[in-house]
Amino acid sequence: MEDVNRVAWGVVFMLGAAVFAWLEWRDDDWSAMGWFILTSLWSAVCGIGYTVAHWFLERKDRPKTD
């Protein structure tokens, strides 16, 4: 299940990065710093999402000990 999580978040990240690259290619009025901040935030969201999902999956796979 860990591999599925890694692949899923990798796909989400790459799709978001592709959208940002396409928007930049269209030459909107954003500055380079704006795009840098936006892609940095996207990377952080994906990294945190992956970590949280991994944590929940890891906890779910552990046997319960009472």
Side-chain angles (χ1 to χ4, degrees):
M1 195 65 165
E2 184 177 323
D3 290 335
V4 172
N5 183 40
R6 185 178 298 123
V7 168
W9 279 103
V11 168
V12 168
F13 174 77
M14 293 304 286
L15 287 174
V19 168
F20 294 150
W22 179 72
L23 289 172
E24 172 64 18
W25 180 70
R26 286 187 47 217
D27 197 25
D28 290 346
D29 291 334
W30 282 42
S31 68
M33 182 58 77
W35 285 110
F36 176 77
I37 291 171
L38 184 63
T39 54
S40 297
L41 288 173
W42 180 246
S43 179
V45 165
C46 289
I48 292 168
Y50 167 79
T51 302
V52 169
H54 177 72
W55 183 72
F56 279 117
L57 291 172
E58 188 177 90
R59 275 189 81 167
K60 190 175 113 178
D61 289 343
R62 284 189 196 160
K64 291 184 179 181
T65 57
D66 292 329

